[in-house]
Amino acid sequence: MTITSYGYIQLLPPLLDAVVEADIDRIHNWRNIGLVSVDPNLWGLSRFQGAEGVIGKAVAKAVKGSELVFKSRFLLEGIDFKPWEVMAYHEIIYGYKPWEYSETHPRPVKTLELPTRVANLYKKSIVLYTDHEIRKSSTKINFSYDMWLMRSATDMKCSKGDIELMIWLYRSPDLKPLPKDADTVVEIPILLNGKITTTKLEAYITEITLPSGIGGWTYIAFTLENPVEKGSIALDFTSLLEITREVLAKHMPSEWNGEKFDDLYLRSVEVGTEVFFSNRVDVEWSLREMHIAVLPTRIASEKALESLADPLTLFKGS
């Protein structure tokens, strides 16, 4: 490995200023802020379009060279919802997610071109890094990665044979993913506020079908033992892909084997906040940095994580 082969994608701080709003009349509003797009993404409210009782809006403000801040304030009255249902996923998008697309969306850079087959990722060490702060929330939320692993590199709908992979970095007290616990706990190294430590991840698996009847894809989420409300955290994504592969093969052997998983395409890397329904929603959070490091050869997770703080550690002593 040479220093020039070390790939580092700095997705945030934003490269462009922007103020992006969404409300009941405009559920999605994509905006290019450099190497990623932002979208307040009020997808859970779409079924209430045309009805009274939804007052408010979500706003994303990108400040060039500084940070991205999401603020979401709503009053919901006279509409029927369940508190475990998701109202919104305020997000940052790298790559090509299914469901919707904007012509202004920036193309992924050569360092990590998407879509790409999962099998191609095992040869590399890919590290995901965020520096975030949950400033307030009147309702339950998480702060999470959301990745789509799909049979097709181009389809815009998900169904049986596709996977939604989430990694919950933060969650409100007592909030858990969908109720089917995979009874699996794994321990992984992470870089937390600049220091190597370990954390336990708990896995949850289910199949998702939307009220419209669309769906059937496999949903797997990992939650951190100690949610990170404020600070920086880096994860070895390649290692997490391998863990996902093993967990699915163990708990859904009729659906998933290694070869089938490896043949999927990683379509997108998204990060954001799922906001759960409540009569009053007042949420604010910020994301100062979001990076992806791509090392062209596979190395130990600890060394890959350390490289994020100082890439030259990869070459010391070599």
Side-chain angles (χ1 to χ4, degrees), residues 24 45 48 50-56 74-79 81 279:
I24 190 64
L45 287 177
F48 300 116
E52 297 181 355
V54 179
I55 302 170
F74 286 90
L75 290 176
L76 306 178
E77 299 178 348
I79 60 174
F81 59 80
N279 292 114

Side-chain angles (χ1 to χ4, degrees), residues 17 52 87 91 100 103 149 168 179 200 220 288 291 293:
D17 291 321
E52 297 181 355
M87 186 192 89
E91 65 173 324
E100 64 274 333
E103 292 297 330
L149 310 174
W168 289 26
K200 291 180 180 178
I220 178 167
R288 290 175 288 276
H291 308 157

Side-chain angles (χ1 to χ4, degrees), residues 31-100:
R31 186 71 57 85
N32 178 347
I33 59 169
L35 296 180
V36 293
S37 288
V38 296
D39 181 12
N41 190 356
L42 303 176
W43 72 269
L45 287 177
S46 60
R47 71 181 191 266
F48 300 116
Q49 285 186 300
E52 297 181 355
V54 179
I55 302 170
K57 64 182 178 180
V59 180
K61 183 177 181 180
V63 180
K64 181 180 177 181
S66 179
E67 65 178 359
L68 174 67
V69 177
F70 275 93
K71 296 181 181 180
S72 188
R73 294 185 175 91
F74 286 90
L75 290 176
L76 306 178
E77 299 178 348
I79 60 174
D80 183 31
F81 59 80
K82 305 294 189 296
W84 60 82
E85 294 177 327
V86 176
M87 186 192 89
Y89 183 54
H90 306 324
E91 65 173 324
I92 296 93
I93 306 154
Y94 178 80
Y96 299 101
K97 63 174 288 184
W99 309 115
E100 64 274 333

Side-chain angles (χ1 to χ4, degrees), residues 57-198:
K57 64 182 178 180
V59 180
K61 183 177 181 180
V63 180
K64 181 180 177 181
S66 179
E67 65 178 359
L68 174 67
V69 177
F70 275 93
K71 296 181 181 180
S72 188
R73 294 185 175 91
F74 286 90
L75 290 176
L76 306 178
E77 299 178 348
I79 60 174
D80 183 31
F81 59 80
K82 305 294 189 296
W84 60 82
E85 294 177 327
V86 176
M87 186 192 89
Y89 183 54
H90 306 324
E91 65 173 324
I92 296 93
I93 306 154
Y94 178 80
Y96 299 101
K97 63 174 288 184
W99 309 115
E100 64 274 333
Y101 176 72
S102 169
E103 292 297 330
T104 65
H105 182 58
R107 294 176 58 88
V109 298
K110 189 174 182 179
T111 304
L112 182 60
E113 292 182 301
L114 299 179
T116 189
R117 287 198 186 275
V118 171
N120 297 333
L121 300 174
Y122 297 137
K123 302 173 185 177
K124 306 173 183 180
S125 285
I126 300 173
V127 178
L128 306 178
Y129 173 94
T130 60
D131 185 357
H132 67 272
E133 178 182 1
I134 307 301
R135 295 179 176 175
K136 63 178 175 178
S137 175
S138 66
T139 188
K140 292 187 181 300
I141 65 169
N142 64 35
F143 180 77
S144 57
Y145 286 104
D146 193 19
M147 292 88 156
W148 294 93
L149 310 174
M150 299 181 63
R151 292 160 296 163
S152 168
T154 58
D155 279 356
M156 295 301 289
K157 298 293 183 184
C158 296
S159 58
K160 194 173 184 66
D162 299 323
I163 295 173
E164 180 181 9
L165 166 62
M166 296 196 79
I167 306 164
W168 289 26
L169 304 179
Y170 169 79
R171 65 187 187 279
S172 299
D174 301 322
L175 178 65
K176 294 183 178 181
L178 294 168
K180 188 175 181 181
D181 189 342
D183 193 29
T184 296
V185 177
V186 296
E187 188 167 319
I188 63 166
I190 61 172
L191 184 71
L192 182 63
N193 296 321
K195 296 181 180 179
I196 295 289
T197 185
T198 59

